[in-house]
Amino acid sequence: MLSLFLSLMLAAAAGPAGDPPRDGITLAPDSEARWIAFDLTPSNQIRFEAVLNGRPVRAVLDTGLTNTLATTEFAARARLTTGRTQPALAIGGGVQVAWAPGGTLVIGGLTRRGGRIAIPDAPGQERFGADLLIGSDVLSCCALDIDYAVRRFRILPSGRLPFTGRTAPLALQRGSEVPVTEIRLGGARLRPMIVDTGDGAAVTLSRTAWTSARFSGATLTTTLGWGIGGALVSEAAVIGGFNFGGAALPETELRIEGEGGYSAAAGAAGRIGTGLLLGYRVLLDPKAGRMVLQPNPVAPPVLRSTSGLLLGAEGSHLRVLHVMRGSPAAETGWREGETICAADGVPVAGRPIEWSAGAPGRVVTLTLCSGSVRKLTLRRFY
């Protein structure tokens, strides 16, 4: 479904009273040879199999997450023992988290013994697509080589350079320890930008960073995303003008947070997510101070809505989750919560929603579950 990205980030939070447990992280001598296969969730996250306390778990690689996180359902199933709760900052709003001992976590050639796992009391955890989200508390120890073209990654000792490409600076943000880089928009140098493999969008900017860039010519609409704290609406555009790693980017989807959004609260200018990184083989090595980008032979194109309907599948029908500003759907009176049972006379259940981003000029006949019928003429509106 178009533009429904799950942004998973937990702000740095103080641990329970007293000194936090030490993380015992080791790399096997052959870690460089231990490639880990992954698939992409519908929201563009890297999902793979890890092992926690000797049992396989579905995990997501989330460099923008300060602390490794487990869903409440998995925590109950795995009988993770939790302590007191405390507030934390997350995309979509603040949440409460409880802490559990980290146990023994194995990812390819990496083993962590000890540490801790955050368990949030947060909405929409079924959208995570995994039991465990692996954060920077584990990943910042080492270098990550992510080959999106063949859907595999590996964990390396810092300092390795397994391939060459464009280079961007990379460091660990003080306090949160998440990887940060910079990007240029027009003549503006925007930093720090969190490199967030758990964010399915391409580039997200704080309102302040967007204003400082003084970029003209963008046609803005609205879009919908989810974070640990719930759903949030942001402005969106597809623009040229970005320069990353010393090279101009093609047209890129941009999201702009509202005042007081997550990036500003986290002390960042914005985030770079999987929507951008998918076009590369990526080496993240913050301890060596670099991020290496080798372009994939076939980069995925920007997918834009031509209907303005952002939809969620619910059994035999589609529910309208958001109507994009200035879109054909907005101009013809569509509302959030309406349900669609057929498109061009064909039931929508189990079928891809290709018409939502179909060719401009196409007329789609949509049958609502109430029995009424509407026609929607697709066009480019942002």
Side-chain angles (χ1 to χ4, degrees):
M1 271 152 279
L2 186 68
S3 293
L4 300 185
F5 298 114
L6 181 61
S7 301
L8 302 173
M9 301 177 74
L10 187 66
D19 292 332
R22 291 181 178 272
D23 293 349
I25 295 178
T26 58
L27 280 185
D30 64 345
S31 62
E32 199 157 349
R34 297 196 191 185
W35 286 98
I36 302 162
F38 68 83
D39 68 346
L40 289 175
T41 71
S43 300
N44 272 354
Q45 283 82 39
I46 294 171
R47 181 171 53 195
F48 62 99
E49 185 175 286
V51 176
L52 180 66
N53 296 332
R55 303 175 67 175
V57 295
R58 295 179 308 156
V60 160
L61 197 72
D62 194 341
T63 57
L65 192 66
T66 302
N67 297 95
T68 292
L69 176 154
T71 65
T72 52
E73 188 277 332
F74 172 75
R77 179 160 37 93
R79 298 181 179 178
L80 299 182
T81 303
T82 60
R84 67 179 178 86
T85 63
Q86 64 183 120
L89 175 67
I91 292 178
V95 298
Q96 293 286 322
V97 298
W99 297 99
T104 300
L105 175 67
V106 179
I107 307 167
L110 180 149
T111 300
R112 183 180 81 161
R113 294 180 175 87
R116 57 187 182 170
I117 295 174
I119 303 165
D121 180 10
Q125 294 188 38
E126 70 279 358
R127 295 186 182 275
F128 290 7
D131 304 313
L132 206 62
L133 280 58
I134 310 299
S136 189
D137 56 332
V138 174
L139 301 173
S140 62
C141 69
C142 311
L144 275 175
D145 179 2
I146 306 172
D147 194 339
Y148 283 100
V150 295
R151 300 291 194 267
R152 65 179 187 172
F153 75 93
R154 57 182 172 169
I155 303 172
L156 312 173
S158 178
R160 295 283 200 271
L161 190 60
F163 61 90
T164 59
R166 305 168 188 163
T167 302
L170 194 70
L172 295 175
Q173 186 181 37
R174 183 174 298 178
S176 70
E177 298 300 301
V178 296
V180 291
T181 186
E182 63 182 49
I183 196 168
R184 290 182 179 270
L185 179 56
R189 184 184 183 188
L190 305 176
R191 60 177 183 171
M193 295 287 295
I194 297 169
V195 180
D196 184 7
T197 59
D199 185 347
V203 178
T204 300
L205 294 180
S206 70
R207 175 66 57 180
T208 299
W210 169 247
T211 302
S212 72
R214 299 181 180 178
F215 186 86
S216 60
T219 302
L220 299 179
T221 182
T222 55
T223 192
L224 182 67
W226 283 271
I228 289 176
L232 69 161
V233 175
S234 58
E235 289 193 302
V238 176
I239 63 172
F242 280 114
N243 187 292
F244 186 42
L249 296 181
E251 282 196 323
T252 302
E253 186 191 59
L254 165 69
R255 297 189 176 204
I256 305 164
E257 295 176 324
E259 297 291 346
Y262 176 84
S263 295
R271 305 187 302 279
I272 292 172
T274 306
L276 174 57
L277 301 179
L278 272 170
Y280 302 90
R281 180 177 175 182
V282 180
L283 179 71
L284 300 178
D285 193 352
K287 290 191 173 180
R290 66 189 173 211
M291 176 178 184
V292 182
L293 303 157
Q294 184 181 82
N296 287 335
V298 181
V302 175
L303 185 64
R304 12 169 142 226
S305 174
T306 49
S307 66
L309 291 174
L310 302 186
L311 303 162
E314 296 183 355
S316 62
H317 63 265
L318 301 173
R319 182 174 297 276
V320 178
L321 303 178
H322 180 72
V323 180
M324 300 173 74
R325 187 177 69 205
S327 68
E331 292 174 355
T332 51
W334 284 82
R335 297 288 182 266
E336 293 177 12
E338 293 183 303
T339 55
I340 300 170
C341 278
D344 290 333
V346 179
V348 296
R351 302 179 64 85
I353 314 172
E354 50 81 23
W355 55 264
S356 184
R362 175 181 171 182
V363 179
V364 183
T365 301
L366 299 172
T367 304
L368 278 69
C369 298
S370 62
S372 63
V373 177
R374 298 180 191 170
K375 292 187 181 295
L376 187 62
T377 303
L378 308 182
R379 66 174 172 82
R380 183 165 166 165
F381 62 94
Y382 69 105

